Amino acid sequence: MTDHDPLTVGTLSAAPGTRARGTVPADLGTLTVDIPLTLVNGARPGPRVLITAGVHGGEFTGIDAATRLASLLEPALVHGQLIICPVANPPAVYQGRLGVSPLDGVNINRVFPGDPDGGPTERLAAWLFAHLLDGADAYVDLHAGGIDEVLRDFVGHRLTGDTQLDTRTADLAHSLGIEDVILGLDATGGNSHAAAARAGVPAILVETGQLGERDADTATRLVESLCALLRGLGVLEGETPPAAPTPVREWIWAAGITAEQTGLWYPEFTAGDDVTEGQVIGHIIDPSNGQEHKIHTPTSGRVFYGMHALTVAPNTELAAIAVPRAPTRPTSSPRQPPTP
Ligand SMILES: [Zn+2]
């Protein structure tokens, strides 16, 4: 719970009952980038919630929804504090529109919590964690399928082994009204939500939209989901509970299939398809000799996202597959894809 103090990030500050919008400079060593932020300091005390979007370029739904939400919230009606960062990684969002930064080729969502003495993207990750995540009671990171990715909407989170934290995180994941929730069985790796979980903050990944789509209905639905989440946390007062809450299905990551060679990719699935172990899910053609290399899935399950682009290179993610969560947890950790 926060008290009635100003909410301050760098040079931007909001008194209780007010909203502040602007940019805060982040020093990345070789350059400075301006991070757009909206601070909503509620008139009444409550939790502090961080919402980020634009961690990756080319994933538009979250950026659109976070910006709409920043305008929508009335500080007088808010219990607690919100930090909304619609473009967390401006170089990747505005220049490359890719998962990697044009500054150094680094995917920021593989290097959290960052390094204040590292390269530009590692420094940006460290800046975001130090300035935005520190002191948060909940963290929501908005992603989408990229311009070249098909994706079925899902919420992701990680298990830490801390039962209380994992329960709070699951409650957060289930409160959006998004049907499919996919768990990672540990909190390793450089994803923002994994690093936040390791820091003890309930944190979720929200993946909505695909293929660079930017339609208003998709963004508006995500805003509604975020408002439901904020009602669940007590940040917004719930006037009418949803008539029929979406039943949540829990899944566990089972396989991430990557390309082994450069070539032309012809997928034989789309996001949301169920596949069977051994099934051919596509093939890669070598344009130099026309040779075909079939790609088989190593496991049965549902494809939640996959590559749509024609051209792929070694380590390009072709498909990510999850299986329904069994009542008892598996004893070994299947390989979890790093998520778009
Ligand atoms: Zn992403």
Side-chain angles (χ1 to χ4, degrees):
M1 298 286 277
T2 57
D3 50 28
H4 260 193
D5 287 334
L7 174 57
T8 302
V9 176
T11 49
L12 198 64
S13 188
T18 70
R19 172 194 355 245
R21 300 185 84 162
T23 59
V24 175
D27 179 2
L28 307 187
T30 51
L31 77 164
T32 299
V33 294
D34 289 325
I35 309 294
L37 286 177
T38 295
L39 309 179
V40 180
N41 197 353
R44 284 164 282 188
R48 181 183 293 180
V49 181
L50 168 63
I51 298 173
T52 57
V55 161
H56 287 141
E59 301 180 3
F60 300 131
T61 312
I63 296 171
D64 190 351
T67 304
R68 289 169 190 259
L69 183 70
S71 301
L72 192 74
L73 294 169
E74 283 300 332
L77 302 178
V78 166
H79 301 244
Q81 301 178 325
L82 280 114
I83 299 174
I84 301 173
C85 179
V87 181
N89 189 355
V93 167
Y94 288 119
Q95 291 163 33
R97 300 196 192 94
L98 293 172
V100 296
S101 172
L103 298 177
D104 52 13
V106 173
N107 180 342
I108 195 172
N109 215 24
R110 304 293 177 266
V111 301
F112 282 103
D115 178 356
D117 301 314
T121 297
E122 290 172 315
R123 287 181 191 228
L124 176 56
W127 188 95
L128 294 168
F129 258 46
H131 289 79
L132 307 186
L133 185 76
D134 188 40
D137 298 299
Y139 175 36
V140 180
D141 190 21
L142 305 176
H143 289 250
I147 291 170
D148 56 7
E149 282 170 322
V150 291
L151 182 138
R152 180 185 166 89
D153 292 0
F154 67 90
V155 182
H157 69 94
R158 301 293 190 85
L159 297 178
T160 64
D162 174 340
T163 309
Q164 207 180 1
L165 175 61
D166 291 347
T167 302
R168 288 168 63 201
T169 306
D171 288 346
L172 201 60
H174 293 193
S175 68
L176 286 150
I178 294 173
E179 198 171 8
D180 294 308
V181 172
I182 311 181
L183 289 82
L185 295 179
D186 61 54
T188 57
N191 281 188
S192 62
H193 66 288
R198 293 199 296 277
V201 179
I204 59 171
L205 164 82
V206 180
E207 296 269 7
T208 53
Q210 62 173 352
L211 297 170
E213 75 184 10
R214 41 130 340 141
D215 67 288
D217 287 350
T218 307
T220 303
R221 269 201 307 278
L222 180 53
V223 170
E224 287 166 2
S225 292
L226 292 168
C227 287
L229 175 144
L230 293 172
R231 284 195 295 272
L233 288 169
V235 172
L236 297 181
E237 287 175 23
E239 290 148 19
T240 48
T246 308
V248 166
R249 290 179 298 202
E250 285 192 323
W251 304 77
I252 291 172
W253 288 118
I257 301 161
T258 54
E260 289 173 5
Q261 66 267 80
T262 299
L264 310 184
W265 164 235
Y266 295 89
E268 294 172 22
F269 65 88
T270 192
D273 283 359
D274 291 321
V275 294
T276 309
E277 182 181 343
Q279 182 181 330
V280 174
I281 59 164
H283 54 276
I284 294 175
I285 301 281
D286 182 341
S288 69
N289 56 20
Q291 271 187 0
E292 179 188 279
H293 177 77
K294 285 187 167 63
I295 306 294
H296 301 264
T297 170
T299 178
S300 299
R302 183 164 297 174
V303 181
F304 274 89
Y305 61 90
M307 182 49 55
H308 182 73
L310 178 68
T311 52
V312 297
N315 297 320
T316 297
E317 273 212 291
L318 301 177
I321 295 170
V323 292
R325 188 186 191 192
T328 52
R329 280 170 53 180
T331 49
S332 65
S333 285
R335 179 177 173 196
Q336 58 197 17
T339 67

